[in-house]
Amino acid sequence: MTDITTVGEILIDLTQCGINENGIPVFAANPGGAPANLAVAASRLGAKTAFIGKVGNDSYGEYLRKVLRENRVDESSISVDPKQHTTLAVVTVDETGERSFSFYRDPSADVELSAGDIDVNKLKDTKILHFGSVSLTAEPSRSATLFAAKTAKDAGAIISYDPNYRANLWSDEATAIEMMRAPLGLVDILKVSDNELPLLTGVEDPAEGTKMLSEMGIKLIFVTLGPDGAFFRFGDITGSCPTPPVKVADTNGAGDTFFGAALSQIAKLDSLDELTEKKLRSITEFANKAAGITTSRHGAIPAMPTLDEMKK
């Protein structure tokens, strides 16, 4: 059985990595896409992972599949679209390491993922099924993603969700909030950033916001707080863990690394009911450490730590 199967977008992050001698920004073609990032992060930390998505019939698409194979992620359920190109996202980074995104995906291959492309057998043979909100921004990928989540849920999988908000992919904030909230009834584990929590709940306080989400039936919730670490809630059990000090080079992929690291540890459990405050604190500290290492280097997937690095 696969520990974690992710479904959604896989793309190229054209990430700013410097400025040349003529003052022209220099970009590197890094592999990216939040669900693919998470699958790699968890795989590097010892989990057995798989990815379901769609790429174009182009060199970028083949490169992305190669990256997944090299990171021991099962990419056999990736479809190839003969008509659409692999999605590109231009990622600029400011002096603090914070990112801004411009997407070139209207249309592109990841949006064309349909329910017919989904390998149902993969969904029935995974412990955790993970998805994000980028694939909910348009059809047919929206229906395909929700189909995958419902099918996996019915088969007994734990459902994991990251409503990673990208404002320029939505027509307006109200539509984004509506669609980001839509899958919450299926979700067992949720990871939100401190910027996304108010979109889902209307409040900024992690304790209050996660209590509202918990009352909706979501068992485990993480709130990432940037340099301030992360907050967790499992029913009435709450706590927070600081982030280890790190010199930030690039925050791209930090949230995906955090969640991938956390899920890699959760996948070792027979049930979420085994979670205690001590275990949750250990999981959150592990995830914070992994995310911290990622932010100290450039790119998303290329910056993610291995289990050996974590042990050192």
Side-chain angles (χ1 to χ4, degrees):
M1 173 174 280
T2 303
D3 293 322
I4 305 163
T5 298
T6 70
V7 60
E9 74 279 6
I10 185 170
L11 49 84
I12 293 292
D13 282 331
L14 292 177
T15 308
Q16 185 178 346
C17 57
I19 298 176
N20 71 11
E21 65 275 10
N22 296 317
I24 298 172
V26 177
F27 291 81
N30 287 310
N37 289 346
L38 187 145
V40 171
S43 177
R44 287 191 178 184
L45 296 172
K48 183 179 180 183
T49 69
F51 174 78
I52 301 172
K54 182 171 274 191
V55 296
N57 185 23
D58 49 35
S59 59
Y60 280 149
E62 178 50 43
Y63 169 63
L64 290 169
R65 297 185 68 173
K66 177 174 176 285
V67 168
L68 293 186
R69 289 193 298 270
E70 290 174 346
N71 284 279
R72 299 181 303 282
V73 178
D74 180 356
E75 48 80 48
S76 62
S77 295
I78 292 181
S79 302
V80 178
D81 193 311
K83 296 181 180 179
Q84 304 296 345
H85 60 76
T86 299
T87 304
L88 301 179
V90 177
V91 186
T92 53
V93 183
D94 67 18
E95 61 275 6
T96 68
E98 285 300 321
R99 313 151 296 158
S100 61
F101 292 83
S102 298
F103 289 88
Y104 295 83
R105 69 189 288 262
D106 188 21
S108 59
D110 75 289
V111 180
E112 294 301 316
L113 181 71
S114 69
D117 295 318
I118 303 292
D119 185 345
V120 174
N121 290 327
K122 280 280 194 305
L123 303 177
K124 294 179 178 179
D125 191 39
T126 190
K127 194 165 191 176
I128 299 171
L129 188 282
H130 171 79
F131 67 100
S133 71
V134 169
S135 57
L136 303 179
T137 57
E139 292 289 3
S141 62
R142 177 186 302 150
S143 294
T145 302
L146 295 175
F147 167 78
K150 290 174 183 176
T151 302
K153 182 84 169 181
D154 289 343
I158 295 168
I159 306 302
S160 161
Y161 176 47
D162 179 359
N164 46 326
Y165 179 55
R166 299 287 179 262
N168 56 359
L169 290 181
W170 298 93
S171 57
D172 55 75
E173 187 176 281
T175 301
I177 292 171
E178 178 186 0
M179 292 311 307
M180 287 163 61
R181 289 175 174 172
L184 293 179
L186 294 168
V187 175
D188 300 298
I189 306 175
L190 177 73
K191 194 279 290 180
V192 294
S193 70
D194 51 354
N195 294 321
E196 292 156 353
L197 183 64
L199 295 175
L200 296 184
T201 66
V203 300
E204 296 184 358
D205 179 66
E208 183 182 353
T210 56
K211 187 173 188 294
M212 294 170 64
L213 293 166
S214 179
E215 290 170 349
M216 296 173 61
I218 302 172
K219 295 179 180 178
L220 174 58
I221 305 153
F222 295 101
V223 183
T224 53
L225 305 170
D228 294 324
F231 179 92
F232 61 81
R233 175 183 289 277
F234 181 66
D236 293 329
I237 300 173
T238 63
S240 59
C241 298
T243 298
V246 63
K247 183 178 180 181
V248 175
D250 178 358
T251 60
N252 195 18
D256 302 326
T257 302
F258 174 94
F259 209 7
L263 293 180
S264 75
Q265 302 305 296
I266 292 168
K268 297 176 182 179
L269 305 175
D270 291 328
S271 167
L272 292 180
D273 293 335
E274 295 177 30
L275 289 169
T276 62
E277 182 178 355
K278 182 178 179 181
K279 287 182 180 179
L280 283 165
R281 193 166 295 280
S282 175
I283 289 168
T284 306
E285 289 173 349
F286 181 82
N288 275 343
K289 182 178 178 181
I293 292 173
T294 297
T295 65
S296 71
R297 305 189 287 220
H298 288 284
I301 285 176
M304 291 173 176
T306 64
L307 195 56
D308 284 344
E309 286 181 288
M310 292 288 288
K311 290 177 179 177
K312 291 176 183 177

Short mmCIF file of all heavy atoms in Angstrom, two decimals, residues 51 65 73-79 119 122:
data_model
loop_
_atom_site.label_atom_id
_atom_site.label_comp_id
_atom_site.label_asym_id
_atom_site.label_seq_id
_atom_site.Cartn_x
_atom_site.Cartn_y
_atom_site.Cartn_z
N PHE A 51 1.94 10.09 -7.33
CA PHE A 51 1.36 11.35 -7.79
C PHE A 51 0.45 11.07 -8.98
O PHE A 51 0.79 10.30 -9.88
CB PHE A 51 2.45 12.34 -8.21
CG PHE A 51 1.90 13.60 -8.84
CD1 PHE A 51 1.36 14.60 -8.06
CD2 PHE A 51 1.89 13.75 -10.22
CE1 PHE A 51 0.82 15.74 -8.64
CE2 PHE A 51 1.36 14.90 -10.81
CZ PHE A 51 0.82 15.90 -10.01
N ARG A 65 8.40 14.29 -14.96
CA ARG A 65 8.23 12.86 -14.68
C ARG A 65 9.56 12.25 -14.23
O ARG A 65 9.61 11.42 -13.32
CB ARG A 65 7.68 12.13 -15.90
CG ARG A 65 6.30 12.61 -16.32
CD ARG A 65 5.72 11.82 -17.46
NE ARG A 65 5.42 10.45 -17.03
CZ ARG A 65 4.78 9.58 -17.79
NH1 ARG A 65 4.37 9.91 -19.00
NH2 ARG A 65 4.54 8.35 -17.35
N VAL A 73 9.08 8.72 -6.38
CA VAL A 73 7.64 8.95 -6.39
C VAL A 73 7.05 8.19 -7.57
O VAL A 73 7.52 8.34 -8.70
CB VAL A 73 7.30 10.45 -6.51
CG1 VAL A 73 5.79 10.66 -6.57
CG2 VAL A 73 7.89 11.24 -5.36
N ASP A 74 6.06 7.37 -7.33
CA ASP A 74 5.40 6.62 -8.40
C ASP A 74 4.67 7.60 -9.33
O ASP A 74 3.70 8.25 -8.92
CB ASP A 74 4.41 5.63 -7.77
CG ASP A 74 3.66 4.80 -8.80
OD1 ASP A 74 3.83 5.03 -10.01
OD2 ASP A 74 2.89 3.92 -8.38
N GLU A 75 5.15 7.71 -10.56
CA GLU A 75 4.54 8.66 -11.51
C GLU A 75 3.80 7.93 -12.62
O GLU A 75 3.49 8.52 -13.66
CB GLU A 75 5.62 9.60 -12.09
CG GLU A 75 6.89 8.94 -12.59
CD GLU A 75 6.75 8.34 -13.97
OE1 GLU A 75 6.24 9.02 -14.88
OE2 GLU A 75 7.14 7.17 -14.14
N SER A 76 3.48 6.66 -12.40
CA SER A 76 2.85 5.86 -13.45
C SER A 76 1.43 6.32 -13.77
O SER A 76 0.88 5.95 -14.81
CB SER A 76 2.84 4.38 -13.04
OG SER A 76 2.10 4.18 -11.85
N SER A 77 0.82 7.12 -12.89
CA SER A 77 -0.56 7.59 -13.13
C SER A 77 -0.61 9.02 -13.66
O SER A 77 -1.66 9.66 -13.63
CB SER A 77 -1.38 7.48 -11.84
OG SER A 77 -1.53 6.13 -11.47
N ILE A 78 0.52 9.52 -14.15
CA ILE A 78 0.52 10.83 -14.81
C ILE A 78 0.07 10.65 -16.26
O ILE A 78 0.56 9.80 -16.98
CB ILE A 78 1.92 11.47 -14.79
CG1 ILE A 78 2.31 11.85 -13.36
CG2 ILE A 78 1.97 12.72 -15.68
CD1 ILE A 78 3.67 12.51 -13.26
N SER A 79 -0.91 11.46 -16.67
CA SER A 79 -1.38 11.46 -18.05
C SER A 79 -0.62 12.52 -18.85
O SER A 79 -0.14 13.51 -18.29
CB SER A 79 -2.88 11.77 -18.10
OG SER A 79 -3.62 10.84 -17.34
N ASP A 119 -6.58 7.21 -11.81
CA ASP A 119 -6.37 5.78 -11.58
C ASP A 119 -7.06 5.39 -10.27
O ASP A 119 -6.52 5.62 -9.18
CB ASP A 119 -4.87 5.48 -11.52
CG ASP A 119 -4.57 3.99 -11.41
OD1 ASP A 119 -5.49 3.21 -11.09
OD2 ASP A 119 -3.40 3.61 -11.63
N LYS A 122 -5.26 3.29 -7.64
CA LYS A 122 -4.32 4.01 -6.77
C LYS A 122 -5.03 4.58 -5.55
O LYS A 122 -4.51 4.58 -4.44
CB LYS A 122 -3.66 5.16 -7.55
CG LYS A 122 -2.51 4.76 -8.46
CD LYS A 122 -1.22 4.59 -7.67
CE LYS A 122 -0.01 4.53 -8.60
NZ LYS A 122 -0.06 3.52 -9.63
#
